[in-house]
Amino acid sequence: MSTPSISPAIKDALSALADQDLKSGIKRKFTADSSRVDKFSHDLGEFYLDLSKTHISDELVSSYLGFAKEVNFEQKRHEFLAGARINNSEDRSVLHALLRDSSNQGIAMVEPDTLEQAASSKAQFIDQYHAIQSKLDTRDVPVADIIHVGIGGSSLGTQLVFEALKQLNSLIKVHFIGNIDAHQLVDVLNQCRPESTLVIGVSKTFSTAETLQNLDSIATWFRRSGVSEPLSQFYGVTAAPSKAMDYGIASDNVVSFPNWVGGRYSVWSSVSLSAALVIGIERFNELLDGAAELDKHFYQQPLESNVCFLSAMLDHYYGNFLDVKSRAIFAYDFRLRSLVDYLQQLETESNGKDRQRDGTQVDQQTSPVVWGGVGTDVQHSVFQMLHQGTALIPSEFILVANADHQMDDHHQELLANGLAQTAALLAGQDLETIERLYKSENLSDATKHAKIFSGDRPSSTILLDKLTPKALGALLAFYEHRTFCFGVLTNINSYDQMGVELGKRLAKQVKPLLSEEANSDETQKSAEEFDPSTLSLLAKIKNSLD
Ligand code: F6P
């Protein structure tokens, strides 16, 4: 067993703070300190973050600065920037930020050949972007649909960027096909015509079963409409170019990115080709610039005012000292409807781990469940639980001050609702207020009590002036670095994802059991490895197959 990562002294100090926080709540913190909003809000240029409605306090920050020293936080951040192989289980550096920091400011000491790789992968991406654009401009039949085939990190970020930054009247549609469930694929193919459809297959490994199967089926669809060699017209984006070529994609159509870009951190790379083709490379570069600005904040800002560290600190405090199991994120902007899916992968695939970096059992709570949705929809579904449920759920509100449409009434209502929710979570509503408000209504005691809101429920607010590419870039980089900070505090490797492998391996074993050859000796033997419940479900499915 390795040494626990929190020393008893820090643990005791934080437990004492938690006891006090549970008793006194958040509202009292505002009465006790009139400078609270200023003290715990941060203007980062591209967005403003208000943490004052959380349990943050000077004492909390000070204990976590002590904790950061114990875990050598500054040293670990330096190693990350310097390109040390911090993904130790896969023996890899984690350098996705190099793709956006083209001037290399803030990046400590990466090797020159790594810088060269970053520059050449970006150049290749831009060349391919222009090559496709000029083909698009000269085609007899203009491209109406792009099918982006990829899953997880090979699509979630691209989809988010596309939805957030496309013009509302964009003529090209991008369809994101990830799932092996062909109900989605059939639906998309029914909307497309082969002569006006471009296919981009994205896979870091170019070996993901879903992606290859979907590409195969799309190729078959092209062939059926008379295109004899469809694969030669597909584009491939990957860190394994030889695999894409072996699959049949023409070498000129393969765009590669370096292996030190993790799948869920790859939105900054050529993985976003399909989004860039629609939003334009200039706007894509602004996305990178916004992220690079946030990078500088993360690299240079002292921890006590470093938003990435402070937010991870709160995630850690809630999970480990206030028994919080989940965190909710509500974007009050329809264009950010895929943000939660993106952040779920980013945070839970990175930090949902039960092993420390040396392989021993972790001694802390790691990633909370990350969930959420889009305001105001969520107010009419899950907010009941947020306000009156028994679980403490810190929530995060993302508001965009200026809309990109002219329907001002809608936007004011949207903003008013988002703000009102954060105020309500904090304020709550006591019996006295209820009796005053409903004086004339002669309510029963049960009804009055059902209307009580405890309040003191933590929320943080991120305010963007406008949803520009720079603001989105900064926002996503903020979440990435927050994820890094949380991994350092919990002493885990945030950059592997071994937990996805067992299921994939077993799926390979289960598939033949569903088919006709299920009676062969080999498949029978493999069946013996499964539990009785799985075997019984398998039998039921087989019986009901047409
Ligand atoms: O199965 C999980 C995962 O490996 C993710 O980490 C990754 O983003 C996704 O699958 C897709 O992988 P690839 O880009 O190699 O197709």
Side-chain angles (χ1 to χ4, degrees):
M1 187 71 187
S2 69
T3 353
S5 43
I6 307 190
S7 70
I10 299 281
K11 207 171 188 169
D12 289 349
L14 288 169
S15 304
L17 261 182
D19 287 347
Q20 206 180 307
D21 273 342
L22 282 176
K23 273 187 225 130
S24 59
I26 306 170
K27 269 176 281 178
R28 287 216 198 144
K29 292 182 191 289
F30 281 94
T31 8
D33 180 359
S34 60
S35 65
R36 181 168 176 79
V37 175
D38 283 346
K39 197 188 274 177
F40 297 119
S41 295
H42 302 267
D43 191 347
L44 294 151
E46 292 307 329
F47 67 84
Y48 175 86
L49 171 67
D50 178 359
L51 297 175
S52 66
K53 290 195 191 92
T54 67
H55 287 88
I56 196 168
S57 63
D58 290 329
E59 297 78 9
L60 186 71
V61 175
S62 150
S63 293
Y64 269 92
L65 291 179
F67 185 18
K69 274 211 181 81
E70 285 183 356
V71 297
N72 283 328
F73 186 91
E74 309 262 0
Q75 170 65 22
K76 299 221 164 106
R77 180 174 55 180
H78 176 80
E79 287 168 5
F80 166 50
L81 300 179
R85 293 172 182 254
I86 62 167
N87 176 356
N88 60 319
S89 62
E90 294 177 327
D91 194 26
R92 277 187 200 148
S93 311
V94 176
L95 286 167
H96 50 272
L98 265 189
L99 297 177
R100 55 213 190 201
D101 193 355
S102 46
S103 62
N104 189 29
Q105 285 170 16
I107 302 274
M109 292 185 309
V110 286
E111 299 290 331
D113 62 336
T114 309
L115 276 181
E116 174 59 37
Q117 277 175 19
S120 91
S121 92
K122 186 154 184 211
Q124 206 194 356
F125 172 25
I126 291 177
D127 286 352
Q128 192 63 266
Y129 167 87
H130 288 299
I132 299 180
Q133 278 295 357
S134 66
K135 274 193 207 161
L136 297 187
D137 293 344
T138 53
R139 269 168 79 124
D140 296 341
V141 184
V143 167
D145 297 277
I146 297 177
I147 307 184
H148 174 117
V149 185
I151 195 161
S154 285
S155 90
L156 292 169
T158 313
Q159 179 162 1
L160 168 63
V161 169
F162 166 73
E163 290 169 353
L165 301 180
K166 79 183 171 78
Q167 304 294 335
L168 291 178
N169 57 1
S170 162
L171 290 179
I172 301 186
K173 274 199 209 136
V174 183
H175 308 272
F176 291 89
I177 295 288
N179 204 323
I180 192 70
D181 183 347
H183 290 105
Q184 187 194 11
L185 180 60
V186 169
D187 187 34
V188 164
L189 293 179
N190 282 339
Q191 298 168 48
C192 300
R193 287 182 305 138
E195 61 278 19
S196 57
T197 299
L198 194 80
V199 178
I200 305 183
V202 183
S203 172
K204 179 173 176 185
T205 55
F206 230 85
S207 62
T208 299
E210 289 95 326
T211 302
L212 299 184
Q213 174 76 66
N214 279 320
L215 285 171
D216 285 352
S217 302
I218 297 171
T220 305
W221 175 76
F222 271 95
R223 279 191 204 98
R224 286 201 183 124
S225 68
V227 180
S228 58
E229 288 190 42
L231 285 182
S232 64
Q233 294 179 30
F234 287 13
Y235 291 84
V237 179
T238 182
S242 58
K243 286 222 175 117
M245 289 183 255
D246 290 348
Y247 178 75
I249 302 208
S251 59
D252 282 354
N253 289 1
V254 174
V255 197
S256 63
F257 62 90
N259 219 355
W260 40 253
V261 179
R264 55 192 173 274
Y265 297 87
S266 63
V267 63
W268 320 103
S269 72
S270 42
V271 162
S272 288
L273 180 60
S274 56
L277 286 167
V278 174
I279 68 169
I281 200 74
E282 299 76 16
R283 274 161 73 76
F284 187 77
N285 282 333
E286 287 169 25
L287 177 90
L288 303 184
D289 292 345
E293 274 178 29
L294 204 285
D295 290 341
K296 274 180 222 147
H297 171 92
F298 173 57
Y299 305 155
Q300 293 164 3
Q301 198 67 21
L303 296 186
E304 57 270 31
S305 50
N306 192 308
V307 293
C308 312
F309 179 78
L310 293 174
S311 302
M313 166 196 89
L314 283 164
D315 295 338
H316 186 275
Y317 178 60
Y318 283 129
N320 284 282
F321 296 94
L322 291 176
D323 200 27
V324 160
K325 300 283 184 255
S326 81
R327 188 173 103 246
I329 300 165
F330 304 111
Y332 273 64
D333 193 306
F334 178 71
R335 295 166 297 174
L336 294 176
R337 60 193 173 280
S338 291
L339 181 68
V340 170
D341 285 352
Y342 172 80
L343 293 179
Q344 269 176 346
Q345 188 202 16
L346 177 70
E347 296 196 29
T348 62
E349 196 168 82
S350 296
N351 288 334
K353 312 266 163 81
D354 66 359
R355 298 282 136 184
Q356 303 194 86
R357 295 182 61 80
D358 63 1
T360 56
Q361 184 73 33
V362 83
D363 59 353
Q364 307 177 51
Q365 280 288 333
T366 60
S367 178
V369 173
V370 173
W371 62 283
V374 172
T376 58
D377 288 342
V378 281
Q379 291 175 202
H380 302 274
S381 53
V382 293
F383 270 37
Q384 163 62 40
M385 176 177 73
L386 213 62
H387 287 286
Q388 289 187 315
T390 48
L392 184 67
I393 304 173
S395 52
E396 222 150 85
F397 287 76
I398 301 171
L399 307 179
V400 181
N402 294 288
D404 282 316
H405 58 68
Q406 309 300 321
M407 298 194 178
D408 295 346
D409 284 353
H410 283 254
H411 200 61
Q412 276 176 18
E413 186 90 22
L414 179 70
L415 291 174
N417 270 278
L419 277 179
Q421 292 299 329
T422 70
L425 285 164
L426 176 70
Q429 178 167 267
D430 59 14
L431 192 57
E432 208 184 313
T433 315
I434 294 160
E435 284 174 339
R436 184 168 41 77
L437 286 176
Y438 299 95
K439 210 163 153 188
S440 57
E441 291 187 29
N442 201 17
L443 299 180
S444 71
D445 274 359
T447 309
K448 283 185 205 161
H449 282 268
K451 286 181 182 293
I452 293 176
F453 290 63
S454 66
D456 276 324
R457 298 190 174 216
S459 73
S460 50
T461 304
I462 295 175
L463 180 62
L464 274 55
D465 184 31
K466 273 194 106 177
L467 184 54
T468 59
K470 279 185 93 175
L472 182 66
L475 187 69
L476 302 188
F478 156 70
Y479 280 110
E480 283 184 353
H481 292 315
R482 173 183 185 162
T483 302
F484 166 85
C485 295
F486 187 88
V488 173
L489 293 175
T490 45
N491 192 27
I492 56 180
N493 173 6
S494 303
Y495 299 101
D496 63 7
Q497 54 284 321
M498 306 295 183
V500 301
E501 284 173 14
L502 176 59
K504 284 187 195 173
R505 183 165 67 71
L506 293 188
K508 284 203 182 117
Q509 261 173 269
V510 173
K511 198 174 168 200
L513 298 176
L514 281 167
S515 71
E516 290 302 314
E517 319 92 67
N519 290 330
S520 77
D521 285 353
E522 207 183 323
T523 31
Q524 280 311 316
K525 201 154 169 261
S526 138
E528 285 162 19
E529 282 184 36
F530 289 97
D531 60 86
S533 158
T534 308
L535 290 176
S536 141
L537 288 166
L538 197 63
K540 278 199 181 309
I541 294 175
K542 280 199 76 176
N543 282 340
S544 55
L545 287 180
D546 298 334

